[in-house]
């Protein structure tokens, strides 16, 4: 009796799994067909979007290379060269909090505290959740004798 009940439960469980997987395959097929239809309808727009994507990716690669080069120059204490490269980075990606942070660091190193303050505030504006930027501003205010 016990084995018969166990067999019935197992068969019922298998039929539930089979039903679930059949429904899942139907939904997957429906999703694929609808995706195919949307792709066909938007083919001419997709080509334009693809080209825009390629241009954007190339721009970001240039940005990354320039940013790394600027960091190298900053680490070598070539602050003028680094600053010029960081400003070139901003031409490619004007909302980069990291670039403004690095510019603030350079200004701080050169004792240009008001310039450092402007740049770190821009960095915080673009990346408000970055605690390092906020700590930098706090340290800068201490150095300037200013209250937050």
């Amino acid at each position: 009796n016990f084995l018969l009940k166990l067999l019935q439960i197992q068969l019922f469980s298998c039929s539930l799994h089979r039903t679930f997987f059949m429904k899942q395959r139907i939904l997957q097929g429906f999703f694929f067909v609808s995706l195919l239809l949307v792709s066909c309808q938007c083919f001419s727009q997709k080509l334009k979007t693809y080209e825009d994507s390629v241009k954007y990716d190339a721009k970001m690669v240039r940005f990354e290379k320039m940013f790394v080069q600027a960091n190298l120059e900053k680490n070598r204490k070539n602050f003028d060269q680094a600053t010029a490269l960081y400003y070139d980075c901003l031409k490619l990606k004007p909302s980069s909090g990291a670039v403004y942070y690095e510019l603030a660091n350079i200004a701080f190193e050169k004792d240009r505290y008001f310039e450092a303050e402007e740049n770190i505030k821009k960095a915080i504006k673009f990346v408000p959740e970055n605690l390092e930027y906020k700590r930098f501003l706090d340290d800068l205010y201490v150095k300037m004798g200013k209250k937050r």
Side-chain angles (χ1 to χ4, degrees), residues 56-131:
Y56 177 78
D57 289 345
K59 183 178 170 182
M60 289 304 103
V61 167
R62 285 194 318 272
F63 170 84
E64 291 295 328
K65 284 181 179 180
M66 205 175 305
F67 187 75
V68 168
Q69 186 61 43
N71 286 337
L72 288 172
E73 294 300 329
K74 185 188 88 160
N75 292 337
R76 292 178 184 145
K77 306 289 185 200
N78 296 333
F79 294 132
D80 293 334
Q81 181 66 25
T83 299
L85 287 167
Y86 285 130
Y87 279 112
D88 288 342
C89 287
L90 288 175
K91 291 176 187 171
L92 295 172
K93 191 175 177 183
S95 61
S96 174
V99 172
Y100 284 110
Y101 173 71
E102 295 301 338
L103 287 168
N105 275 304
I106 290 173
F108 185 85
E109 286 289 323
K110 291 180 157 189
D111 296 330
R112 296 181 186 165
Y113 301 128
F114 292 106
E115 184 181 334
E117 181 183 15
E118 285 178 19
N119 284 317
I120 198 62
K121 283 182 175 180
K122 288 178 185 175
I124 292 169
K125 175 182 147 191
F126 291 120
V127 191
E129 67 277 0
N130 191 311
L131 297 178

Side-chain angles (χ1 to χ4, degrees), residues 13-31:
S13 175
C14 286
S15 71
L16 283 178
H17 283 287
R18 200 173 323 121
T19 304
F20 172 76
F21 285 117
M22 286 175 59
K23 287 180 181 178
Q24 188 178 18
R25 287 197 185 260
I26 290 169
L27 287 174
Q28 286 174 342
F30 177 76
F31 176 75

Side-chain angles (χ1 to χ4, degrees), residues 37-48:
L37 289 173
V38 169
S39 296
C40 290
Q41 290 172 350
C42 300
F43 183 75
S44 62
Q45 292 175 358
K46 186 174 178 106
L47 183 61
K48 182 180 177 191

